PDB file of all heavy atoms in Angstrom:
ATOM      1  N   ILE A   1       3.363   1.659  -8.908  1.00  0.00           N
ATOM      2  CA  ILE A   1       2.373   1.530  -7.845  1.00  0.00           C
ATOM      3  C   ILE A   1       1.619   0.197  -7.918  1.00  0.00           C
ATOM      4  O   ILE A   1       1.462  -0.478  -6.897  1.00  0.00           O
ATOM      5  CB  ILE A   1       1.423   2.735  -7.839  1.00  0.00           C
ATOM      6  CG1 ILE A   1       2.185   3.988  -7.393  1.00  0.00           C
ATOM      7  CG2 ILE A   1       0.228   2.483  -6.913  1.00  0.00           C
ATOM      8  CD1 ILE A   1       1.346   5.248  -7.312  1.00  0.00           C
ATOM      9  N   PRO A   2       1.147  -0.230  -9.106  1.00  0.00           N
ATOM     10  CA  PRO A   2       0.459  -1.528  -9.137  1.00  0.00           C
ATOM     11  C   PRO A   2       1.350  -2.693  -8.684  1.00  0.00           C
ATOM     12  O   PRO A   2       0.892  -3.583  -7.959  1.00  0.00           O
ATOM     13  CB  PRO A   2       0.057  -1.673 -10.614  1.00  0.00           C
ATOM     14  CG  PRO A   2      -0.046  -0.274 -11.108  1.00  0.00           C
ATOM     15  CD  PRO A   2       1.050   0.457 -10.402  1.00  0.00           C
ATOM     16  N   THR A   3       2.607  -2.689  -9.097  1.00  0.00           N
ATOM     17  CA  THR A   3       3.506  -3.758  -8.659  1.00  0.00           C
ATOM     18  C   THR A   3       3.795  -3.630  -7.168  1.00  0.00           C
ATOM     19  O   THR A   3       3.947  -4.641  -6.466  1.00  0.00           O
ATOM     20  CB  THR A   3       4.820  -3.731  -9.461  1.00  0.00           C
ATOM     21  OG1 THR A   3       4.521  -3.696 -10.858  1.00  0.00           O
ATOM     22  CG2 THR A   3       5.656  -4.964  -9.173  1.00  0.00           C
ATOM     23  N   GLY A   4       3.846  -2.401  -6.682  1.00  0.00           N
ATOM     24  CA  GLY A   4       3.985  -2.196  -5.240  1.00  0.00           C
ATOM     25  C   GLY A   4       2.787  -2.739  -4.472  1.00  0.00           C
ATOM     26  O   GLY A   4       2.933  -3.349  -3.408  1.00  0.00           O
ATOM     27  N   LEU A   5       1.581  -2.510  -5.006  1.00  0.00           N
ATOM     28  CA  LEU A   5       0.383  -3.068  -4.381  1.00  0.00           C
ATOM     29  C   LEU A   5       0.447  -4.595  -4.361  1.00  0.00           C
ATOM     30  O   LEU A   5       0.066  -5.235  -3.370  1.00  0.00           O
ATOM     31  CB  LEU A   5      -0.866  -2.617  -5.142  1.00  0.00           C
ATOM     32  CG  LEU A   5      -1.177  -1.118  -5.153  1.00  0.00           C
ATOM     33  CD1 LEU A   5      -2.372  -0.839  -6.059  1.00  0.00           C
ATOM     34  CD2 LEU A   5      -1.459  -0.621  -3.747  1.00  0.00           C
ATOM     35  N   THR A   6       0.912  -5.173  -5.455  1.00  0.00           N
ATOM     36  CA  THR A   6       1.050  -6.627  -5.527  1.00  0.00           C
ATOM     37  C   THR A   6       2.057  -7.113  -4.497  1.00  0.00           C
ATOM     38  O   THR A   6       1.852  -8.155  -3.853  1.00  0.00           O
ATOM     39  CB  THR A   6       1.495  -7.043  -6.935  1.00  0.00           C
ATOM     40  OG1 THR A   6       0.594  -6.491  -7.893  1.00  0.00           O
ATOM     41  CG2 THR A   6       1.508  -8.546  -7.078  1.00  0.00           C
ATOM     42  N   TYR A   7       3.150  -6.376  -4.336  1.00  0.00           N
ATOM     43  CA  TYR A   7       4.166  -6.726  -3.344  1.00  0.00           C
ATOM     44  C   TYR A   7       3.549  -6.765  -1.946  1.00  0.00           C
ATOM     45  O   TYR A   7       3.789  -7.690  -1.162  1.00  0.00           O
ATOM     46  CB  TYR A   7       5.303  -5.706  -3.399  1.00  0.00           C
ATOM     47  CG  TYR A   7       6.542  -6.094  -2.622  1.00  0.00           C
ATOM     48  CD1 TYR A   7       7.631  -6.672  -3.265  1.00  0.00           C
ATOM     49  CD2 TYR A   7       6.636  -5.878  -1.252  1.00  0.00           C
ATOM     50  CE1 TYR A   7       8.776  -7.027  -2.562  1.00  0.00           C
ATOM     51  CE2 TYR A   7       7.760  -6.225  -0.534  1.00  0.00           C
ATOM     52  CZ  TYR A   7       8.836  -6.806  -1.197  1.00  0.00           C
ATOM     53  OH  TYR A   7       9.961  -7.170  -0.494  1.00  0.00           O
ATOM     54  N   VAL A   8       2.722  -5.761  -1.636  1.00  0.00           N
ATOM     55  CA  VAL A   8       2.043  -5.744  -0.338  1.00  0.00           C
ATOM     56  C   VAL A   8       1.085  -6.927  -0.234  1.00  0.00           C
ATOM     57  O   VAL A   8       1.003  -7.592   0.807  1.00  0.00           O
ATOM     58  CB  VAL A   8       1.287  -4.415  -0.147  1.00  0.00           C
ATOM     59  CG1 VAL A   8       0.377  -4.474   1.081  1.00  0.00           C
ATOM     60  CG2 VAL A   8       2.271  -3.264   0.002  1.00  0.00           C
ATOM     61  N   GLY A   9       0.357  -7.222  -1.318  1.00  0.00           N
ATOM     62  CA  GLY A   9      -0.538  -8.365  -1.308  1.00  0.00           C
ATOM     63  C   GLY A   9       0.193  -9.673  -1.070  1.00  0.00           C
ATOM     64  O   GLY A   9      -0.331 -10.598  -0.434  1.00  0.00           O
ATOM     65  N   ASP A  10       1.424  -9.763  -1.557  1.00  0.00           N
ATOM     66  CA  ASP A  10       2.224 -10.976  -1.391  1.00  0.00           C
ATOM     67  C   ASP A  10       2.814 -11.116   0.008  1.00  0.00           C
ATOM     68  O   ASP A  10       3.114 -12.228   0.448  1.00  0.00           O
ATOM     69  CB  ASP A  10       3.396 -10.978  -2.388  1.00  0.00           C
ATOM     70  CG  ASP A  10       2.939 -11.198  -3.820  1.00  0.00           C
ATOM     71  OD1 ASP A  10       1.831 -11.717  -4.023  1.00  0.00           O
ATOM     72  OD2 ASP A  10       3.699 -10.845  -4.746  1.00  0.00           O
ATOM     73  N   THR A  11       3.020  -9.999   0.688  1.00  0.00           N
ATOM     74  CA  THR A  11       3.824 -10.035   1.914  1.00  0.00           C
ATOM     75  C   THR A  11       3.068  -9.646   3.184  1.00  0.00           C
ATOM     76  O   THR A  11       3.639  -9.699   4.266  1.00  0.00           O
ATOM     77  CB  THR A  11       5.039  -9.093   1.779  1.00  0.00           C
ATOM     78  OG1 THR A  11       4.584  -7.765   1.471  1.00  0.00           O
ATOM     79  CG2 THR A  11       5.975  -9.565   0.679  1.00  0.00           C
ATOM     80  N   VAL A  12       1.797  -9.254   3.066  1.00  0.00           N
ATOM     81  CA  VAL A  12       1.020  -8.832   4.233  1.00  0.00           C
ATOM     82  C   VAL A  12      -0.221  -9.708   4.350  1.00  0.00           C
ATOM     83  O   VAL A  12      -0.913  -9.951   3.359  1.00  0.00           O
ATOM     84  CB  VAL A  12       0.611  -7.347   4.121  1.00  0.00           C
ATOM     85  CG1 VAL A  12      -0.239  -6.933   5.320  1.00  0.00           C
ATOM     86  CG2 VAL A  12       1.850  -6.456   4.031  1.00  0.00           C
ATOM     87  N   GLN A  13      -0.502 -10.177   5.552  1.00  0.00           N
ATOM     88  CA  GLN A  13      -1.665 -11.031   5.772  1.00  0.00           C
ATOM     89  C   GLN A  13      -2.960 -10.295   5.452  1.00  0.00           C
ATOM     90  O   GLN A  13      -3.066  -9.085   5.685  1.00  0.00           O
ATOM     91  CB  GLN A  13      -1.705 -11.501   7.233  1.00  0.00           C
ATOM     92  CG  GLN A  13      -0.557 -12.410   7.633  1.00  0.00           C
ATOM     93  CD  GLN A  13      -0.631 -13.776   6.952  1.00  0.00           C
ATOM     94  OE1 GLN A  13      -1.652 -14.140   6.377  1.00  0.00           O
ATOM     95  NE2 GLN A  13       0.455 -14.534   7.023  1.00  0.00           N
ATOM     96  N   PRO A  14      -3.985 -10.993   4.929  1.00  0.00           N
ATOM     97  CA  PRO A  14      -5.232 -10.336   4.533  1.00  0.00           C
ATOM     98  C   PRO A  14      -5.897  -9.538   5.648  1.00  0.00           C
ATOM     99  O   PRO A  14      -6.518  -8.503   5.386  1.00  0.00           O
ATOM    100  CB  PRO A  14      -6.120 -11.510   4.089  1.00  0.00           C
ATOM    101  CG  PRO A  14      -5.161 -12.563   3.648  1.00  0.00           C
ATOM    102  CD  PRO A  14      -3.974 -12.428   4.558  1.00  0.00           C
ATOM    103  N   ALA A  15      -5.780  -9.969   6.889  1.00  0.00           N
ATOM    104  CA  ALA A  15      -6.468  -9.299   7.989  1.00  0.00           C
ATOM    105  C   ALA A  15      -6.004  -7.858   8.187  1.00  0.00           C
ATOM    106  O   ALA A  15      -6.766  -7.009   8.664  1.00  0.00           O
ATOM    107  CB  ALA A  15      -6.276 -10.079   9.292  1.00  0.00           C
ATOM    108  N   VAL A  16      -4.754  -7.563   7.840  1.00  0.00           N
ATOM    109  CA  VAL A  16      -4.227  -6.203   8.019  1.00  0.00           C
ATOM    110  C   VAL A  16      -3.770  -5.595   6.700  1.00  0.00           C
ATOM    111  O   VAL A  16      -3.085  -4.581   6.685  1.00  0.00           O
ATOM    112  CB  VAL A  16      -3.058  -6.200   9.035  1.00  0.00           C
ATOM    113  CG1 VAL A  16      -3.541  -6.575  10.423  1.00  0.00           C
ATOM    114  CG2 VAL A  16      -1.950  -7.145   8.583  1.00  0.00           C
ATOM    115  N   ARG A  17      -4.175  -6.205   5.587  1.00  0.00           N
ATOM    116  CA  ARG A  17      -3.653  -5.770   4.285  1.00  0.00           C
ATOM    117  C   ARG A  17      -4.111  -4.366   3.919  1.00  0.00           C
ATOM    118  O   ARG A  17      -3.335  -3.572   3.388  1.00  0.00           O
ATOM    119  CB  ARG A  17      -4.058  -6.764   3.205  1.00  0.00           C
ATOM    120  CG  ARG A  17      -3.414  -6.492   1.853  1.00  0.00           C
ATOM    121  CD  ARG A  17      -3.752  -7.595   0.875  1.00  0.00           C
ATOM    122  NE  ARG A  17      -3.169  -8.868   1.294  1.00  0.00           N
ATOM    123  CZ  ARG A  17      -3.629 -10.058   0.920  1.00  0.00           C
ATOM    124  NH1 ARG A  17      -4.696 -10.152   0.140  1.00  0.00           N
ATOM    125  NH2 ARG A  17      -3.036 -11.156   1.333  1.00  0.00           N
ATOM    126  N   GLN A  18      -5.385  -4.021   4.186  1.00  0.00           N
ATOM    127  CA  GLN A  18      -5.844  -2.690   3.806  1.00  0.00           C
ATOM    128  C   GLN A  18      -5.096  -1.609   4.562  1.00  0.00           C
ATOM    129  O   GLN A  18      -4.851  -0.524   4.039  1.00  0.00           O
ATOM    130  CB  GLN A  18      -7.353  -2.538   4.025  1.00  0.00           C
ATOM    131  CG  GLN A  18      -7.889  -1.194   3.514  1.00  0.00           C
ATOM    132  CD  GLN A  18      -9.374  -1.191   3.252  1.00  0.00           C
ATOM    133  OE1 GLN A  18     -10.050  -2.182   3.479  1.00  0.00           O
ATOM    134  NE2 GLN A  18      -9.901  -0.080   2.771  1.00  0.00           N
ATOM    135  N   ARG A  19      -4.698  -1.901   5.784  1.00  0.00           N
ATOM    136  CA  ARG A  19      -3.920  -0.922   6.546  1.00  0.00           C
ATOM    137  C   ARG A  19      -2.563  -0.685   5.884  1.00  0.00           C
ATOM    138  O   ARG A  19      -2.092   0.452   5.798  1.00  0.00           O
ATOM    139  CB  ARG A  19      -3.725  -1.423   7.979  1.00  0.00           C
ATOM    140  CG  ARG A  19      -5.035  -1.649   8.719  1.00  0.00           C
ATOM    141  CD  ARG A  19      -4.782  -2.192  10.124  1.00  0.00           C
ATOM    142  NE  ARG A  19      -6.039  -2.591  10.757  1.00  0.00           N
ATOM    143  CZ  ARG A  19      -6.127  -3.128  11.954  1.00  0.00           C
ATOM    144  NH1 ARG A  19      -5.025  -3.348  12.667  1.00  0.00           N
ATOM    145  NH2 ARG A  19      -7.295  -3.464  12.465  1.00  0.00           N
ATOM    146  N   ALA A  20      -1.922  -1.772   5.443  1.00  0.00           N
ATOM    147  CA  ALA A  20      -0.637  -1.631   4.753  1.00  0.00           C
ATOM    148  C   ALA A  20      -0.804  -0.901   3.428  1.00  0.00           C
ATOM    149  O   ALA A  20       0.036  -0.082   3.042  1.00  0.00           O
ATOM    150  CB  ALA A  20      -0.001  -3.006   4.541  1.00  0.00           C
ATOM    151  N   LEU A  21      -1.893  -1.198   2.729  1.00  0.00           N
ATOM    152  CA  LEU A  21      -2.141  -0.523   1.458  1.00  0.00           C
ATOM    153  C   LEU A  21      -2.379   0.970   1.658  1.00  0.00           C
ATOM    154  O   LEU A  21      -1.996   1.789   0.821  1.00  0.00           O
ATOM    155  CB  LEU A  21      -3.337  -1.160   0.755  1.00  0.00           C
ATOM    156  CG  LEU A  21      -3.108  -2.574   0.206  1.00  0.00           C
ATOM    157  CD1 LEU A  21      -4.415  -3.161  -0.307  1.00  0.00           C
ATOM    158  CD2 LEU A  21      -2.067  -2.558  -0.906  1.00  0.00           C
ATOM    159  N   THR A  22      -3.019   1.342   2.771  1.00  0.00           N
ATOM    160  CA  THR A  22      -3.226   2.765   3.020  1.00  0.00           C
ATOM    161  C   THR A  22      -1.916   3.468   3.362  1.00  0.00           C
ATOM    162  O   THR A  22      -1.771   4.666   3.108  1.00  0.00           O
ATOM    163  CB  THR A  22      -4.254   2.990   4.148  1.00  0.00           C
ATOM    164  OG1 THR A  22      -3.845   2.286   5.318  1.00  0.00           O
ATOM    165  CG2 THR A  22      -5.633   2.531   3.732  1.00  0.00           C
ATOM    166  N   ASP A  23      -0.958   2.735   3.936  1.00  0.00           N
ATOM    167  CA  ASP A  23       0.372   3.322   4.140  1.00  0.00           C
ATOM    168  C   ASP A  23       1.012   3.653   2.791  1.00  0.00           C
ATOM    169  O   ASP A  23       1.613   4.718   2.620  1.00  0.00           O
ATOM    170  CB  ASP A  23       1.278   2.352   4.913  1.00  0.00           C
ATOM    171  CG  ASP A  23       1.008   2.367   6.408  1.00  0.00           C
ATOM    172  OD1 ASP A  23       0.494   3.384   6.896  1.00  0.00           O
ATOM    173  OD2 ASP A  23       1.311   1.362   7.073  1.00  0.00           O
ATOM    174  N   LEU A  24       0.887   2.715   1.851  1.00  0.00           N
ATOM    175  CA  LEU A  24       1.423   2.960   0.516  1.00  0.00           C
ATOM    176  C   LEU A  24       0.683   4.120  -0.142  1.00  0.00           C
ATOM    177  O   LEU A  24       1.283   4.956  -0.819  1.00  0.00           O
ATOM    178  CB  LEU A  24       1.287   1.689  -0.329  1.00  0.00           C
ATOM    179  CG  LEU A  24       2.117   1.603  -1.613  1.00  0.00           C
ATOM    180  CD1 LEU A  24       3.602   1.670  -1.302  1.00  0.00           C
ATOM    181  CD2 LEU A  24       1.800   0.312  -2.360  1.00  0.00           C
ATOM    182  N   MET A  25      -0.632   4.195   0.066  1.00  0.00           N
ATOM    183  CA  MET A  25      -1.424   5.281  -0.470  1.00  0.00           C
ATOM    184  C   MET A  25      -1.016   6.623   0.138  1.00  0.00           C
ATOM    185  O   MET A  25      -1.003   7.652  -0.546  1.00  0.00           O
ATOM    186  CB  MET A  25      -2.907   5.030  -0.214  1.00  0.00           C
ATOM    187  CG  MET A  25      -3.828   6.129  -0.724  1.00  0.00           C
ATOM    188  SD  MET A  25      -5.561   5.827  -0.318  1.00  0.00           S
ATOM    189  CE  MET A  25      -5.876   4.414  -1.362  1.00  0.00           C
ATOM    190  N   ALA A  26      -0.688   6.626   1.427  1.00  0.00           N
ATOM    191  CA  ALA A  26      -0.280   7.867   2.085  1.00  0.00           C
ATOM    192  C   ALA A  26       1.002   8.419   1.467  1.00  0.00           C
ATOM    193  O   ALA A  26       1.141   9.631   1.275  1.00  0.00           O
ATOM    194  CB  ALA A  26      -0.087   7.628   3.581  1.00  0.00           C
ATOM    195  N   ALA A  27       1.940   7.536   1.146  1.00  0.00           N
ATOM    196  CA  ALA A  27       3.170   7.982   0.490  1.00  0.00           C
ATOM    197  C   ALA A  27       2.864   8.569  -0.883  1.00  0.00           C
ATOM    198  O   ALA A  27       3.402   9.613  -1.267  1.00  0.00           O
ATOM    199  CB  ALA A  27       4.147   6.819   0.366  1.00  0.00           C
ATOM    200  N   ALA A  28       1.981   7.893  -1.623  1.00  0.00           N
ATOM    201  CA  ALA A  28       1.580   8.416  -2.930  1.00  0.00           C
ATOM    202  C   ALA A  28       0.848   9.740  -2.778  1.00  0.00           C
ATOM    203  O   ALA A  28       0.973  10.634  -3.621  1.00  0.00           O
ATOM    204  CB  ALA A  28       0.702   7.399  -3.647  1.00  0.00           C
ATOM    205  N   ALA A  29       0.091   9.892  -1.692  1.00  0.00           N
ATOM    206  CA  ALA A  29      -0.648  11.134  -1.460  1.00  0.00           C
ATOM    207  C   ALA A  29       0.282  12.316  -1.258  1.00  0.00           C
ATOM    208  O   ALA A  29       0.019  13.431  -1.735  1.00  0.00           O
ATOM    209  CB  ALA A  29      -1.553  10.976  -0.242  1.00  0.00           C
ATOM    210  N   LEU A  30       1.385  12.085  -0.557  1.00  0.00           N
ATOM    211  CA  LEU A  30       2.353  13.167  -0.376  1.00  0.00           C
ATOM    212  C   LEU A  30       2.934  13.594  -1.722  1.00  0.00           C
ATOM    213  O   LEU A  30       3.140  14.785  -1.986  1.00  0.00           O
ATOM    214  CB  LEU A  30       3.464  12.725   0.571  1.00  0.00           C
ATOM    215  CG  LEU A  30       3.074  12.550   2.040  1.00  0.00           C
ATOM    216  CD1 LEU A  30       4.260  12.047   2.842  1.00  0.00           C
ATOM    217  CD2 LEU A  30       2.567  13.865   2.622  1.00  0.00           C
ATOM    218  N   GLY A  31       3.190  12.610  -2.589  1.00  0.00           N
ATOM    219  CA  GLY A  31       3.666  12.941  -3.927  1.00  0.00           C
ATOM    220  C   GLY A  31       2.636  13.734  -4.699  1.00  0.00           C
ATOM    221  O   GLY A  31       2.960  14.692  -5.413  1.00  0.00           O
ATOM    222  N   THR A  32       1.370  13.364  -4.555  1.00  0.00           N
ATOM    223  CA  THR A  32       0.294  14.088  -5.225  1.00  0.00           C
ATOM    224  C   THR A  32       0.189  15.514  -4.716  1.00  0.00           C
ATOM    225  O   THR A  32       0.042  16.464  -5.497  1.00  0.00           O
ATOM    226  CB  THR A  32      -1.043  13.357  -4.990  1.00  0.00           C
ATOM    227  OG1 THR A  32      -0.940  12.033  -5.498  1.00  0.00           O
ATOM    228  CG2 THR A  32      -2.187  14.070  -5.672  1.00  0.00           C
ATOM    229  N   ALA A  33       0.256  15.677  -3.395  1.00  0.00           N
ATOM    230  CA  ALA A  33       0.141  17.013  -2.808  1.00  0.00           C
ATOM    231  C   ALA A  33       1.264  17.928  -3.286  1.00  0.00           C
ATOM    232  O   ALA A  33       1.033  19.080  -3.669  1.00  0.00           O
ATOM    233  CB  ALA A  33       0.155  16.914  -1.283  1.00  0.00           C
ATOM    234  N   LEU A  34       2.485  17.425  -3.267  1.00  0.00           N
ATOM    235  CA  LEU A  34       3.610  18.237  -3.714  1.00  0.00           C
ATOM    236  C   LEU A  34       3.539  18.515  -5.211  1.00  0.00           C
ATOM    237  O   LEU A  34       3.887  19.609  -5.670  1.00  0.00           O
ATOM    238  CB  LEU A  34       4.927  17.545  -3.374  1.00  0.00           C
ATOM    239  CG  LEU A  34       5.309  17.525  -1.900  1.00  0.00           C
ATOM    240  CD1 LEU A  34       6.597  16.752  -1.689  1.00  0.00           C
ATOM    241  CD2 LEU A  34       5.456  18.947  -1.362  1.00  0.00           C
ATOM    242  N   ALA A  35       3.062  17.527  -5.982  1.00  0.00           N
ATOM    243  CA  ALA A  35       2.987  17.709  -7.431  1.00  0.00           C
ATOM    244  C   ALA A  35       1.991  18.784  -7.808  1.00  0.00           C
ATOM    245  O   ALA A  35       2.273  19.663  -8.626  1.00  0.00           O
ATOM    246  CB  ALA A  35       2.621  16.392  -8.106  1.00  0.00           C
TER     247      ALA A  35
END
């Protein structure tokens, strides 16, 4: 996950970065819910 966050930081413009990070968080959330 941290390297994934870094990947998003490298590839997404700052103006929309938090939105992209929340997409990554949503995927992790589904894993948390099922776990």
